[in-house]
Amino acid sequence: PSATWASYTHMRVVALAAVGAATVLWWSQSRRRRASVREQYEELAGSYNERWAAYVQATLNAFMSCASEPLRDLTAGDCVLDVGTGTGAVPRAILRSFPGLKLSAADLSESMIETGRHECPAVDFVVAPAESLPFASGSFAAATTLSSLHFWTDPEKGLREMHRCLKPGGRVVLSDWCHDFVVCKMCAWYLWLTPGHSKADWSILTSRDVNGMLTEAGFVDVAFTTYKVDARVFGRWWLPRWGMMAFVARKAEQGSCAVGRDSREGRKRERE
């Protein structure tokens, strides 16, 4: 009995210590100032292309394999928008493969945009968040975004903005970190625990989250896949392969918007 009581007491002490440590951690995290996404990338802009070259190239290769079919359907002179463009890796890649297209690109970091303008004057770069794009409705035949969605303050609003900017029948190609993968869950915890990161850094979405957001934004024919890239591109040899997701969806043609709306309502009824 004494041994059992000692074991029980030990377990209580360990549990209380764990609760206490968690409480202290939560309190310190809640008081610690977080850098905003804009601040982070204003500081990173000068070294971004060199520091993240391996990651950008690895994800860009996979992204372009997803985007090539929708972009191949476009004709010379069609306009394409990249959102959360950073220094413009995606529009540069699109222009290399489809030189007849007209590219615009938006990012909230002025310093990242300035770097992009210097490296690719052919792209129309603008400083703007995803949630407030300075373009007229129906301006673009396609829209893209890579490794950016989880940084947006309001992903749902950002996707609605992309939908607004597309012409009827326009396609969106989206790829981002994917919380379906254990390695991304681990990363989210790591970023939460370490100083200097914004909330957006660890707010990684699941494929189900993004599928629902695209549908609610009004997109139809939503299709997605998941893929992995070698996590050594982060400079961490011990990490497993990094999990990504890619979506392709379409803005309904004029006169067929109600179909998408009815299908969303049907899915809601099924869930209920």
Side-chain angles (χ1 to χ4, degrees):
S2 58
T4 303
W5 175 253
S7 176
Y8 174 70
T9 302
H10 176 73
M11 290 173 63
R12 288 186 63 188
V13 170
V14 170
L16 288 171
V19 170
T23 302
V24 170
L25 179 61
W26 174 84
W27 180 82
S28 63
Q29 289 294 97
S30 66
R31 293 178 61 86
R32 192 170 73 198
R33 181 184 178 275
R34 295 289 181 173
S36 71
V37 174
R38 188 193 302 271
E39 289 172 333
Q40 283 181 257
Y41 283 90
E42 287 293 314
E43 294 179 5
L44 278 173
S47 60
Y48 181 86
N49 285 348
E50 181 179 354
R51 178 177 178 180
W52 293 102
Y55 168 77
V56 170
Q57 193 57 54
T59 54
L60 190 59
N61 290 341
F63 180 79
M64 288 302 296
S65 68
C66 297
S68 58
E69 182 180 348
L71 294 175
R72 198 178 294 119
D73 293 337
L74 304 183
T75 57
D78 279 344
C79 297
V80 178
L81 171 64
D82 186 53
V83 180
T85 195
T87 58
V90 171
R92 290 198 301 272
I94 291 174
L95 280 178
R96 284 194 297 268
S97 299
F98 306 95
L101 299 178
K102 294 181 179 179
L103 270 295
S104 295
D107 196 273
L108 53 70
S109 167
E110 186 173 354
S111 297
M112 298 286 274
I113 287 294
E114 284 302 318
T115 300
R117 285 173 178 156
H118 176 74
E119 296 193 355
C120 192
V123 176
D124 176 27
F125 286 97
V126 298
V127 179
E131 298 83 359
S132 184
L133 298 172
F135 303 104
S137 299
S139 298
F140 298 94
T144 59
T145 182
L146 172 61
S147 298
S148 173
L149 182 68
H150 67 283
F151 286 118
W152 300 357
T153 303
D154 187 340
E156 293 93 339
K157 186 176 180 180
L159 292 175
R160 289 196 299 271
E161 273 290 271
M162 293 181 77
H163 183 273
R164 179 188 64 79
C165 290
L166 283 172
K167 296 178 179 180
R171 309 278 287 279
V172 63
V173 184
L174 176 161
S175 184
D176 198 21
W177 299 4
C178 183
H179 203 59
D180 297 357
F181 294 89
V182 172
V183 65
C184 289
K185 298 179 192 294
M186 293 167 56
C187 178
W189 274 99
Y190 171 78
L191 294 174
W192 184 75
L193 289 168
T194 53
H197 299 286
S198 67
K199 181 180 179 181
D201 286 316
W202 64 79
S203 301
I204 305 172
L205 300 166
T206 67
S207 59
R208 183 173 182 176
D209 293 333
V210 178
N211 187 82
M213 290 177 186
L214 285 167
T215 303
E216 292 301 322
F219 288 100
V220 297
D221 299 335
V222 179
F224 81 98
T225 187
T226 57
Y227 62 95
K228 297 178 182 179
V229 296
D230 191 333
R232 286 175 295 182
V233 298
F234 289 105
R236 303 288 189 269
W237 61 267
W238 44 267
L239 279 175
R241 290 169 65 80
W242 189 251
M244 301 285 291
M245 54 186 165
F247 284 79
V248 178
R250 180 174 60 85
K251 181 175 181 176
E253 301 284 351
Q254 287 182 335
S256 62
C257 293
V259 174
R261 185 162 56 249
D262 289 346
S263 65
R264 292 199 302 275
E265 290 170 357
R267 278 190 285 273
K268 287 180 181 177
R269 285 194 295 269
E270 289 173 2
R271 288 196 296 269
E272 293 170 355

